[in-house]
Amino acid sequence: MLSIGDLSKRTGVKVPTIRYYEQMGLIEAAERSEGNQRRYERHDLERLAFIRHARDLGLDIPAIRELIALSQHPDQPCANADRIAADHLIAVREKLEKLKKLEHELERIISHCDGHSIEDCYVIRALSDHGLCEGEH
Amino acid sequence: MLSIGDLSKRTGVKVPTIRYYEQMGLIEAAERSEGNQRRYERHDLERLAFIRHARDLGLDIPAIRELIALSQHPDQPCANADRIAADHLIAVREKLEKLKKLEHELERIISHCDGHSIEDCYVIRALSDHGLCEGEH
DNA sequence: TCTTGAAGCTCTAGTCACTGGAGGAATTAT
DNA sequence: ATAATTCCTCCAGTGACTAGAGCTTCAAGA
Ligand SMILES: [Zn+2]
Ligand SMILES: [Zn+2]
Ligand SMILES: [Zn+2]
Ligand SMILES: [Zn+2]
């Protein structure tokens, strides 16, 4: 039987975050001690590690909720789980594309400034006029 | 003299967002009509385009506020403006690195699933065990 | 057993950059 | 003159936490 603090230390998830996950329905409401304190067991540890890992991979809470629900039905096909992951990969790739464009523009803008006065600053000028940009973003 | 709606149409910035920028101190409080409605001029249009462009490049509001303040002093050196852009580029590159790792892990995870039952689903198994991952993230 | 300090509880509010709605006033078009 | 549109202010909600206030419970040492 672990206290919420023990669970926190073992998983690296902060105490208020564990309570938040419970509120969001990712973790079942834990059993309580006589004095109303949460008491956890091994399977809560595993559940929390699952959530933490999914969050680290960038999945949002509704997606994780769905994955947990799916994982309760081992005999069902896993097409939905695979689709959640695939959709997320698509979203990650879209963000990557945007960030690459930003990186490119920022590099270009910074390298074009000779670093003298604000009046001539290419950073300021480029921000004032998207026409100076090479691509869209 | 433009109404807030005109300004919105010309810049593509939504009306509540323009009011929000005013509240955040990015735009000076506009003059008002007799009936208390905001009236804008050309330089507000330019200011808003500057803000919009800076936001599109991912700069946050405090950074934009500082850039606007700097741009009011054309004779000063532009080191601070350049530093803001450079710091932002560093932040963008860090995000890029993280996203590339995520993309890689997600690709790997998805490709390892044979798409049959939840019980064997590699997506679920990989989420349950970071040890199955190739790298950190 | 008593006491003290750490850790737990609930509830509320703050983060960031907006976005939307309610309820009412002003402006514009017919 | 009337109707339609736009404007005003204020408040609340988004996502995923995070922090604090004010109180209770727990664990350990004297
Ligand atoms: Zn410069
Ligand atoms: Zn641009
Ligand atoms: Zn699968
Ligand atoms: Zn992993």
Side-chain angles (χ1 to χ4, degrees):
Chain A
M1 294 296 248
L2 303 168
S3 72
I4 196 168
D6 297 333
L7 193 61
S8 171
K9 273 164 212 150
R10 296 222 199 176
T11 57
V13 179
K14 290 182 183 159
V15 168
T17 306
I18 297 173
R19 291 197 275 247
Y20 172 75
Y21 288 157
E22 179 185 314
Q23 212 187 329
M24 291 299 102
L26 300 185
I27 297 177
E28 301 159 39
E31 288 175 52
R32 300 294 180 114
S33 72
E34 285 186 10
N36 197 36
Q37 300 194 354
R38 290 169 178 82
R39 294 291 174 251
Y40 296 96
E41 299 180 57
R42 165 171 294 280
H43 84 274
D44 296 303
L45 211 58
E46 287 160 12
R47 167 69 61 91
L48 195 50
F50 181 96
I51 296 167
R52 181 72 265 155
H53 197 207
R55 286 291 302 124
D56 287 344
L57 284 164
L59 289 156
D60 62 17
I61 283 176
I64 296 172
R65 195 156 32 215
E66 200 175 338
L67 285 166
I68 289 171
L70 290 168
S71 72
Q72 315 282 36
H73 302 285
D75 299 336
Q76 299 280 102
C78 73
N80 282 340
D82 294 6
R83 183 190 41 75
I84 288 169
D87 286 352
H88 182 51
L89 176 56
I90 289 170
V92 166
R93 283 181 173 150
E94 282 169 4
K95 278 192 191 167
L96 263 174
E97 286 314 302
K98 282 186 187 163
L99 278 178
K100 281 178 191 165
K101 283 180 190 164
L102 290 197
E103 183 190 27
H104 180 72
E105 287 302 345
L106 287 168
E107 276 174 353
R108 200 185 53 78
I109 288 169
I110 290 166
S111 69
H112 273 63
C113 185
D114 53 15
H116 295 316
S117 68
I118 285 284
E119 192 163 21
D120 304 323
C121 180
Y122 195 83
V123 172
I124 303 280
R125 282 200 288 145
L127 288 173
S128 305
D129 182 7
H130 173 57
L132 295 175
C133 284
E134 281 195 346
E136 289 313 311
H137 49 100
Chain B
M1 293 296 246
L2 304 168
S3 71
I4 196 169
D6 296 333
L7 193 60
S8 171
K9 272 165 213 150
R10 295 222 200 177
T11 58
V13 179
K14 291 184 182 158
V15 168
T17 305
I18 297 173
R19 291 197 275 247
Y20 171 75
Y21 288 157
E22 179 186 315
Q23 211 187 329
M24 292 297 101
L26 299 186
I27 297 177
E28 301 158 39
E31 288 175 53
R32 300 293 180 115
S33 72
E34 285 184 10
N36 197 37
Q37 300 194 352
R38 291 170 178 83
R39 294 293 174 250
Y40 295 95
E41 298 180 59
R42 164 173 296 279
H43 84 273
D44 295 304
L45 211 57
E46 288 161 10
R47 167 68 62 90
L48 195 50
F50 181 96
I51 295 167
R52 183 71 263 153
H53 196 208
R55 287 290 303 124
D56 286 344
L57 285 163
L59 289 156
D60 63 17
I61 283 174
I64 296 172
R65 195 154 35 212
E66 201 175 337
L67 285 167
I68 289 170
L70 290 168
S71 72
Q72 314 282 36
H73 302 284
D75 298 337
Q76 298 281 101
C78 73
N80 281 341
D82 294 5
R83 182 189 41 75
I84 288 169
D87 286 352
H88 182 52
L89 176 55
I90 289 169
V92 166
R93 283 181 173 148
E94 282 169 3
K95 277 193 193 166
L96 263 174
E97 286 315 303
K98 281 187 189 162
L99 278 178
K100 280 178 191 165
K101 283 181 190 163
L102 290 196
E103 183 191 27
H104 179 72
E105 286 302 345
L106 287 168
E107 276 173 351
R108 201 185 52 79
I109 288 169
I110 290 166
S111 69
H112 273 63
C113 185
D114 55 14
H116 293 316
S117 70
I118 285 283
E119 192 162 20
D120 304 323
C121 180
Y122 194 83
V123 172
I124 303 280
R125 281 200 288 145
L127 288 173
S128 305
D129 182 7
H130 174 55
L132 295 175
C133 283
E134 281 195 348
E136 288 312 311
H137 48 99

